[in-house]
Amino acid sequence: LVNNLKAKTNFKYDFQNEIYDDFYKIVKSWNVEILNKTKVIISNDNFIRLDGCSYSSSVQNLILLIQGYIKLLESFKWSNECQSSELNILLYRNIINSIKYYHNEMNKIMWERIKRQNVDGKNSNVDTFVCLNNIFNILEYLEKLEKNPNVLQISKFLISNGSNTSKSVKNKYVSINIKNAENIENFQGNPLSLKVRLSGLVNDETRVIMKDFNPDWIEEFNVIVSEKIIASSGNGDNLKIELIDVESNSIYKSINYRVNLKSDTIFKNQNERILLKPKSGSLNISINAESEKNDPLFYIIHCKNEIENSIKRSINYLIERYLLDFKNIFTLQYLTQSLIDNPDRKSVV
């Protein structure tokens, strides 16, 4: 109201500067507010596709919620560019926190549905793709936010005056890319069915690649390491990498690895070839680490990359799962049983 009045009169009093500290606290409180509303949106979703759509209601409602808060902040027309940038940094950090929560919940529900379908069989009417389609929509929304003129303008301003970097923010954004392994075999010289399990900095695992001398995963895992964890990590190893032989349910090789988080140097695509002695072969990985920046564009890009990597892992798993199902159709046992169930009936002349 005062902004509109100021635009129409010769009103010179800087009331925004007076209320900035209190208003900053209000925007900060939106973090819990947006997250709680995101939880309600998920709980109200029946995960049935909307008419004519590939996604369910929650992703649509989440995007509307986020847009509402962005427009709410824009409506205040904050005149001080530095203060406006700080408010937007806070808002987009809050938004990204809720998007990441939504993404994690959709992933959890999707994998629960896939497990249920595996148990119930192919006749199950469980839609395993609706959650993946929801995640796709969030990715598309982030791509639009990345090109938003207001976001680009704020990022440009922050970079130009050097306020996108802050000594007070010491979190590290780390990505671990499990590329491939080479010359993997058992003592009989046969290929193994392997997956890679990560623990420590990242707690996740790759998909299983069946009976391959040179398994090719190319799966990237992302994590934000807080300043507190970095300070308490010491100089020891902080990442365990285990190659798991799924057929024997045994560890082919366990590796203790150290990602140097205390260095101020940003390292990108730090490639490493790890020999798996005394076993055969080697594992190729790549590590990226970057200090957090006070920039809405930084948060958007990193969240987009994280979700994009998650989608790739899910799609690769689903493709290999259906290829395996398709391959099983042509086993001798299946074909023999098919001939028994459906004998060739020749017409009698």
Side-chain angles (χ1 to χ4, degrees):
L1 181 64
V2 178
N3 266 329
N4 291 332
L5 179 63
K6 188 177 179 180
K8 296 178 182 179
T9 62
N10 189 22
F11 189 75
K12 295 182 179 179
Y13 179 67
D14 189 2
F15 75 94
Q16 286 185 343
N17 195 51
E18 290 292 327
I19 67 168
Y20 175 72
D21 291 339
D22 290 328
F23 188 68
Y24 186 90
K25 291 176 184 176
I26 292 172
V27 177
K28 190 175 182 179
S29 72
W30 289 354
N31 184 36
V32 176
E33 200 172 291
I34 297 171
L35 185 59
N36 286 338
K37 288 179 180 179
T38 302
K39 291 177 181 178
V40 172
I41 284 171
I42 295 170
S43 65
N44 290 336
D45 193 354
N46 57 12
F47 300 103
I48 295 174
R49 303 186 189 207
L50 299 174
D51 290 343
C53 301
S54 61
Y55 50 84
S56 60
S57 62
S58 60
V59 66
Q60 194 176 55
N61 291 332
L62 178 63
I63 291 171
L64 288 172
L65 175 69
I66 292 168
Q67 281 298 106
Y69 277 94
I70 291 172
K71 289 180 179 178
L72 179 60
L73 183 56
E74 287 177 352
S75 71
F76 286 93
K77 300 175 183 176
W78 214 265
S79 57
N80 184 308
E81 196 168 4
C82 186
Q83 291 177 349
S84 175
S85 298
E86 289 297 325
L87 292 170
N88 275 280
I89 289 168
L90 194 55
L91 172 63
Y92 278 94
R93 194 183 295 151
N94 296 343
I95 287 170
I96 294 303
N97 284 342
S98 289
I99 287 177
K100 285 186 176 183
Y101 176 84
Y102 180 83
H103 164 246
N104 290 337
E105 288 299 301
M106 288 301 107
N107 252 336
K108 190 190 300 180
I109 294 166
M110 180 181 71
W111 290 113
E112 285 172 357
R113 287 176 162 229
I114 287 172
K115 287 177 184 176
R116 198 190 320 163
Q117 191 181 59
N118 289 340
V119 172
D120 296 344
K122 295 178 182 178
N123 295 325
S124 170
N125 58 1
V126 175
D127 188 346
T128 57
F129 291 105
V130 66
C131 292
L132 186 59
N133 292 335
N134 288 347
I135 296 171
F136 259 116
N137 272 267
I138 282 294
L139 179 63
E140 289 176 354
Y141 178 68
L142 286 169
E143 288 171 346
K144 290 177 183 177
L145 276 184
E146 186 183 359
K147 299 172 185 175
N148 183 290
N150 186 47
V151 170
L152 294 174
Q153 183 180 342
I154 293 165
S155 180
K156 186 178 179 181
F157 170 78
L158 291 167
I159 292 169
S160 65
N161 66 8
S163 54
N164 67 324
T165 57
S166 172
K167 292 182 180 179
S168 62
V169 180
K170 296 182 180 179
N171 299 336
K172 288 285 177 72
Y173 281 62
V174 179
S175 65
I176 299 162
N177 190 343
I178 304 299
K179 292 183 171 181
N180 64 307
E182 299 171 326
N183 304 318
I184 303 293
E185 60 184 24
N186 62 16
F187 290 117
Q188 290 74 41
N190 298 319
L192 298 172
S193 299
L194 289 181
K195 67 179 179 180
V196 179
R197 180 187 295 154
L198 303 173
S199 57
L201 279 181
V202 177
N203 294 290
D204 214 324
E205 60 184 34
T206 68
R207 69 194 187 281
V208 177
I209 295 184
M210 303 298 293
K211 294 188 179 298
D212 197 325
F213 288 110
N214 303 294
D216 198 4
W217 291 284
I218 313 181
E219 295 189 29
E220 186 173 308
F221 302 89
N222 308 87
V223 64
I224 302 173
V225 185
S226 68
E227 180 184 357
K228 186 178 179 180
I229 293 174
I230 293 171
S232 63
S233 64
N235 296 318
D237 300 320
N238 49 21
L239 179 66
K240 180 179 273 190
I241 306 171
E242 294 175 307
L243 282 80
I244 310 294
D245 179 359
V246 295
E247 292 187 326
S248 64
N249 195 27
S250 61
I251 298 174
Y252 179 78
K253 181 68 177 178
S254 180
I255 304 152
N256 292 317
Y257 187 87
R258 181 172 178 266
V259 180
N260 185 10
L261 298 171
K262 293 187 176 181
S263 172
D264 292 331
T265 306
I266 297 172
F267 52 90
K268 293 187 176 182
N269 297 323
Q270 181 175 299
N271 297 310
E272 187 149 0
R273 184 170 178 262
I274 303 171
L275 296 177
L276 303 177
K277 293 179 179 180
K279 301 289 180 68
S280 69
S282 59
L283 177 68
N284 295 308
I285 64 172
S286 176
I287 309 287
N288 292 329
E290 187 176 2
S291 298
E292 181 177 340
K293 291 184 173 63
N294 290 323
D295 188 339
L297 189 59
F298 176 88
Y299 296 122
I300 292 166
I301 289 172
H302 275 269
C303 183
K304 186 194 77 169
N305 291 343
E306 183 178 336
I307 292 176
E308 199 168 30
N309 290 329
S310 171
I311 289 172
K312 286 177 183 176
R313 290 199 300 273
S314 299
I315 290 174
N316 283 334
Y317 169 82
L318 292 169
I319 288 172
E320 291 191 5
R321 175 190 168 203
Y322 287 111
L323 282 175
L324 186 62
D325 288 344
F326 185 73
K327 184 180 178 181
N328 289 337
I329 293 173
F330 296 100
T331 61
L332 179 61
Q333 182 182 357
Y334 184 92
L335 292 172
T336 303
Q337 189 62 45
S338 296
L339 288 172
I340 295 169
D341 295 339
N342 303 284
D344 183 20
R345 295 185 179 89
K346 294 184 179 180
S347 57
V348 179
V349 179

